[in-house]
Amino acid sequence: MRTCVILNPAAGSGNSVARVRSSVAAISEAELRESDGPTAIEPLVRTAVADGFRRIVAAGGDGTVSQVASALFAAGGGRSGLECGILPIGTGNDLAQALGIPLQLDRAIEIVLGGAARRIDAVVCDSSGRSGAGAGPIHAWNAVVGGFGGSVSSYLTPAQKRRWGRLAYLRGAISELRELTPHAVRIEIDGTTRELDLLMLVVANGSHTGGGIPLAPEAQVDDGALDVVGIEARGIPALLGLVPHVIFGDHLARSGIFQARGRTLRVEADSGFHYNRDGEQWGSGAAEFELRPEALAFVRP
């Protein structure tokens, strides 16, 4: 199958970008096209589709993967035979982990070339507080994190991400604990309403966020449901005690954790409740989410 690799050269280290270039150049059935900025990715995908490519590969982090997948979906990828592959060279690579794609570039390339494409779900997201409101709903392919976790990425610089890699998000979260602010949040899941004081809310399609942290350990990308996990307001000592349980993914039964599953979610919160969508800042305040089953085919082991 003709394969086009869309490379985000700002992702990962210079070494990983150079390896992608040399590896793709050695594959006769693959072509490399490089983005010169975030706004260039969608046009590159549209052009690749118009040129007859059916397997489009995102070489970058979760933000790059999200952009490529959303552009493929907009191009009719839901039912047109288009497939999305991943070469995970970013900081978090959380969707790749949820799909079972190894972080070693050589092994990921083998999957891109020989793996099978299977459909995964997507999360339709609409936030009244995001910039560019009026453009309509967009998609998350891995997760949306609101509250404290939704703000952490705004503190991280590209240099910090390159230096600390997958640990950057965890280090950022710990360093910002002093800024913790509880939010009164009203959530409605499939018509059932709850009012909670939350520090963080995770709307998950995939199980991991923030560079490999299993915040929604029971989530599966193709199970037809949203996994909603909330961390309720607690004192700093209680939260520090919760950290190792979150890291190992056994926190769902702990005190102070809210968990639910459903197909639709409405959130009412103040404008200081910020969201992170697939690793990128997105919006704040009120938001609505809906599961879109079997939205796009991804190349997987």
Side-chain angles (χ1 to χ4, degrees):
M1 179 180 294
R2 295 186 66 208
T3 300
C4 180
V5 178
I6 306 295
L7 171 63
N8 174 10
S13 66
N15 180 58
S16 59
V17 170
R19 289 181 61 208
V20 169
R21 289 175 177 142
S22 60
S23 298
V24 175
I27 302 170
S28 60
E29 64 267 39
E31 179 177 322
L32 180 69
R33 300 183 181 184
E34 295 194 29
S35 164
D36 58 7
T39 59
I41 291 178
E42 183 178 352
L44 283 174
V45 173
R46 289 200 306 265
T47 301
V49 172
D51 289 344
F53 291 97
R54 287 295 174 264
R55 181 166 287 188
I56 314 295
V57 179
D62 285 308
T64 303
V65 174
S66 186
Q67 286 183 284
V68 170
S70 295
L72 282 173
F73 183 87
R79 298 298 169 190
S80 64
L82 298 175
E83 301 173 356
C84 185
I86 301 176
L87 294 180
I89 62 169
T91 303
N93 306 310
D94 289 307
L95 183 58
Q97 181 161 327
L99 295 173
I101 297 171
L103 300 185
Q104 295 83 1
L105 182 59
D106 292 344
R107 293 179 60 197
I109 288 175
E110 291 176 1
I111 290 169
V112 158
L113 295 177
R118 302 194 301 276
R119 295 185 182 278
I120 74 168
D121 306 330
V123 184
V124 182
C125 313
D126 197 356
S127 169
S128 60
R130 68 186 174 91
S131 59
I138 56 178
H139 292 86
W141 300 91
N142 184 59
V144 178
V145 182
F148 175 65
S151 302
V152 166
S153 63
S154 66
Y155 301 114
L156 298 178
T157 66
Q160 289 173 321
K161 291 182 179 180
R162 284 191 296 271
R163 179 179 181 184
W164 297 106
R166 293 169 67 81
L167 291 176
Y169 294 102
L170 181 59
R171 288 178 57 87
I174 293 174
S175 67
E176 296 300 326
L177 282 175
R178 65 186 183 276
E179 304 294 335
L180 280 176
T181 301
H183 297 266
V185 179
R186 185 177 187 271
I187 62 176
E188 181 182 316
I189 303 173
D190 291 351
T192 299
T193 301
R194 289 286 300 270
E195 294 184 0
L196 302 163
D197 288 330
L198 294 180
L199 296 173
M200 184 187 299
L201 179 69
V202 182
V203 185
N205 188 40
S207 55
H208 292 65
T209 61
I213 301 174
L215 285 171
E218 296 181 355
Q220 299 182 40
V221 294
D222 53 4
D223 63 357
L226 301 172
D227 279 64
V228 181
V229 178
I231 298 180
E232 300 180 44
R234 292 290 190 272
I236 295 296
L239 289 171
L240 289 175
L242 191 61
V243 168
H245 295 283
V246 172
I247 291 174
F248 288 102
D250 62 358
H251 57 286
L252 295 184
R254 308 292 297 185
S255 174
I257 299 294
F258 169 81
Q259 179 193 18
R261 305 182 82 235
R263 295 288 294 267
T264 62
L265 170 68
R266 297 182 62 187
V267 179
E268 294 181 13
D270 60 75
S271 59
F273 195 77
H274 295 280
Y275 298 101
N276 174 305
R277 180 186 63 88
D278 286 344
E280 304 292 335
Q281 291 299 113
W282 173 54
S284 63
E288 297 184 4
F289 306 94
E290 181 177 357
L291 187 88
R292 187 186 296 274
E294 299 184 352
L296 184 66
F298 275 76
V299 184
R300 305 166 64 177

